[in-house]
Amino acid sequence: MNGEESPREGELHKIISDSISESDAGVDGLGRIRITGGISLDGEVKIQGSKNAALPIMAAALLNRGTTVLKGCPRIADVFLMEQILCGLGATTCWQGDTLEICARELKSCVADKELGEKMRSSIVLLGSLLGRWGEGVLPFPGGCVIGARPIDLHLEALRKLGAEFKEEEGCLYGRARGLRGGEITFHRSSVGATQNAVLGAVCAKGTTVIRGCSREPEVSWLCRFLNQAGGQIRGIGTSCLEIRGVSGLHDTVFQIPSDRIAAGTYVCASAITRGKGILLDPPVGEMGALLKAYEKIGGQYMYKSGKLFLCSQRALGPLRWLETGIYPGFPTDLQSIFLAVLTCARGESRIRENIFEDRFKVVPQLQKMGAQITLDGRMARIRGGRLFGTLVKAEELRGGAALVIAGLGAEGETCVENREFIERGYEDISRDLNDLGARTQKD
Ligand code: UD1
């Protein structure tokens, strides 16, 4: 890796590496966040760039035998991991503030580093890019957050339709294609990553590809917009049917990474649980419909004007009789545990159904340690609102970790969330952001 790399990032890679590979065993002694509960928020925070938009776009940069510049790229652990993987393939990178430059003029390998790739499930999006660039790609089986089985059958099925073949050996996936060619792909289940892989495989394939049953998540659309700006020919962006005319290659481009709808939603929840206020700067409100609807249902009020989202949560006390996660534009699964934390402090009973990942209630025992009254029944959670009490809790994955921090804001006394490295996979600095909003939190 060349360009600017602060020692902190280097250290972070190591800590993340160690913490994630040992996640099941539980890792003590890593970073913590301390939160003083019971303070009503009132401040302003700028929303960071989107993790889930940035990662596939970074993978897409491999398709350009030149330089891609990404502005507003979040400085988070998962982005640094992806950067390291790209560098291992022969790309060079350079950071200037939050602008990341990726040069993929000469790649030296189509084999992604096993150890790095295993740590992050989103490394699977490299498959489409590597097959498009080299006609070959080797990836470890993807890791990432511990939230269910997370198979990759849809990714493989889609790329097979473009002519790729796969075999599995010693924990690695070997993909090969003698020149990808356009084809017809139909997804019978919605998958963000598989849609992105199909798009990445098709954009430089020979001929036209039609993909039906596409995920309509904003992060798919952002990838397509990026590709079109770099010379791709994709039609139907934002719909469930994409038509892609293969081009011979991409060209240099400068692209602005959109702001992060999940980080923005997290801070709406922070305002809600403290019955405070808050102003979010540059949130992607157009992508936050389901979250804002749920926020209104519990009594929150908001106004959006000139790029600012003004929150008023003084009356955000209500329960939510029914909330279920769904594919976009449904309620995002990534905000489920965070909203669940808010509902543990509501006046009354709420129910949440998780429809996307079977194991996304992993944080519940930790919330229960704080006094939350939650009963689980498979994919259903019943929450009896009440009081939370600050205590020592442990993050086990990214969004569950953020949920514990939000719970800490609404709890009485001090909460200490261990393993903050999980949270840093997706948030640049949740402690800084919450303090900007008026909270009292501290990293140690
Ligand atoms: C992406 C997001 C993640 C978000 C999720 C759903 C990134 C880096 N991650 O993950 O934060 O929670 O979308 O919005 O953008 N499935 C299969 N077979 C497959 C692929 C998926 O059965 O080959 C299933 C999954 O197990 C899951 C569902 O499909 O139940 C949705 O997963 P998918 O949309 O693929 O999520 P990711 O792309 O992994």
Side-chain angles (χ1 to χ4, degrees):
M1 192 179 319
N2 59 13
E4 170 191 308
E5 181 181 308
S6 63
R8 208 191 140 264
E9 281 161 32
E11 255 167 52
L12 195 59
H13 293 314
K14 162 125 192 30
I15 296 169
I16 284 277
S17 316
D18 297 346
S19 67
I20 293 167
S21 50
E22 293 170 38
S23 62
D24 287 339
V27 186
D28 294 313
L30 289 170
R32 300 169 170 195
I33 301 180
R34 289 178 191 281
I35 305 116
T36 305
I39 299 172
S40 276
L41 299 192
D42 191 2
E44 296 193 352
V45 67
K46 167 105 179 73
I47 303 302
Q48 67 178 59
S50 162
K51 163 173 111 49
N52 288 353
L55 293 171
I57 291 175
M58 289 174 76
L62 288 184
L63 291 167
N64 172 25
R65 292 170 195 269
T67 303
T68 300
V69 177
L70 304 179
K71 291 184 150 189
C73 202
R75 295 179 65 94
I76 52 175
D78 273 15
V79 162
F80 298 142
L81 264 176
M82 180 63 99
E83 182 190 1
Q84 278 197 315
I85 297 175
L86 296 183
C87 291
L89 297 168
T92 56
T93 58
C94 175
W95 281 96
Q96 253 170 10
D98 63 1
T99 298
L100 173 63
E101 201 176 293
I102 302 168
C103 176
R105 188 154 300 139
E106 282 161 40
L107 294 188
K108 59 174 194 239
S109 164
C110 62
V111 183
D113 183 271
K114 188 162 188 304
E115 227 177 279
L116 293 172
E118 272 171 355
K119 277 167 205 150
M120 189 173 60
R121 186 186 151 80
S122 10
S123 60
I124 188 73
V125 287
L126 286 163
L127 200 54
S129 297
L130 282 174
L131 288 169
R133 172 81 188 251
W134 283 85
E136 244 179 284
V138 182
L139 285 176
F141 276 117
C145 281
V146 202
I147 48 168
R150 308 192 85 170
I152 56 165
D153 53 318
L154 300 173
H155 299 246
L156 304 187
E157 220 174 277
L159 289 166
R160 276 192 194 109
K161 292 272 164 61
L162 304 180
E165 289 168 10
F166 297 99
K167 68 174 182 185
E168 180 197 329
E169 247 168 52
E170 291 169 9
C172 282
L173 178 69
Y174 291 74
R176 177 171 247 183
R178 268 190 217 106
L180 291 175
R181 47 174 200 280
E184 301 248 333
I185 298 169
T186 303
F187 288 112
H188 296 289
R189 268 174 300 149
S190 177
S191 162
V192 179
T195 303
Q196 290 170 334
N197 247 333
V199 168
L200 286 166
V203 72
C204 295
K206 239 192 188 126
T208 298
T209 299
V210 177
I211 315 176
R212 298 193 177 80
C214 293
S215 143
R216 291 189 295 141
E217 253 63 15
E219 294 75 21
V220 171
S221 301
W222 286 113
L223 172 65
C224 294
R225 288 186 197 112
F226 165 80
L227 290 167
N228 277 358
Q229 198 180 299
Q233 294 205 13
I234 306 174
R235 293 201 323 199
I237 297 176
T239 73
S240 57
C241 180
L242 293 170
E243 191 187 306
I244 302 170
R245 286 225 336 251
V247 294
S248 54
L250 300 183
H251 55 67
D252 291 359
T253 195
V254 178
F255 191 77
Q256 177 74 40
I257 299 293
S259 53
D260 194 308
R261 63 189 176 113
I262 306 302
T266 304
Y267 300 143
V268 171
C269 290
S271 170
I273 202 166
T274 67
R275 277 98 201 217
K277 294 192 202 164
I279 302 172
L280 309 191
L281 308 177
D282 297 325
V285 273
E287 300 173 358
M288 294 169 66
L291 180 267
L292 289 172
K293 201 163 153 199
Y295 173 65
E296 274 190 313
K297 276 193 180 161
I298 63 169
Q301 294 169 300
Y302 67 89
M303 184 182 71
Y304 182 67
K305 207 176 160 197
S306 315
K308 293 184 178 181
L309 182 65
F310 296 84
L311 302 168
C312 176
S313 309
Q314 271 105 337
R315 287 191 227 143
L317 304 162
L320 201 50
R321 218 164 283 169
W322 179 253
L323 178 69
E324 63 181 315
T325 59
I327 56 175
Y328 190 80
F331 190 91
T333 175
D334 288 352
L335 283 172
Q336 181 264 105
S337 50
I338 299 165
F339 211 86
L340 170 77
V342 175
L343 296 175
T344 62
C345 293
R347 291 193 187 150
E349 191 172 299
S350 307
R351 275 164 203 263
I352 295 184
R353 185 178 158 84
E354 171 57 54
N355 289 321
I356 310 292
F357 291 111
E358 69 272 22
D359 201 11
R360 262 227 158 142
F361 287 126
K362 253 189 138 33
V363 72
V364 165
Q366 298 295 313
L367 289 171
Q368 284 167 334
K369 253 182 103 179
M370 298 176 72
Q373 297 182 57
I374 305 168
T375 319
L376 288 182
D377 182 6
R379 287 175 177 264
M380 284 287 309
R382 210 178 72 206
I383 306 119
R384 270 185 44 211
R387 288 156 70 191
L388 295 181
F389 303 93
T391 185
L392 182 68
V393 284
K394 196 184 268 183
E396 288 176 78
E397 36 91 19
L398 163 58
R399 304 300 172 188
L404 293 172
V405 174
I406 299 307
L409 296 173
E412 289 169 30
E414 188 183 85
T415 300
C416 178
V417 180
E418 288 192 309
N419 293 358
R420 76 173 144 81
E421 287 69 21
F422 282 110
I423 302 171
E424 287 166 351
R425 294 187 69 156
Y427 296 84
E428 280 188 347
D429 191 339
I430 199 171
S431 178
R432 173 200 67 197
D433 286 355
L434 290 171
N435 291 352
D436 285 349
L437 275 172
R440 207 179 306 149
T441 73
Q442 196 188 317
K443 289 185 287 185
D444 54 27

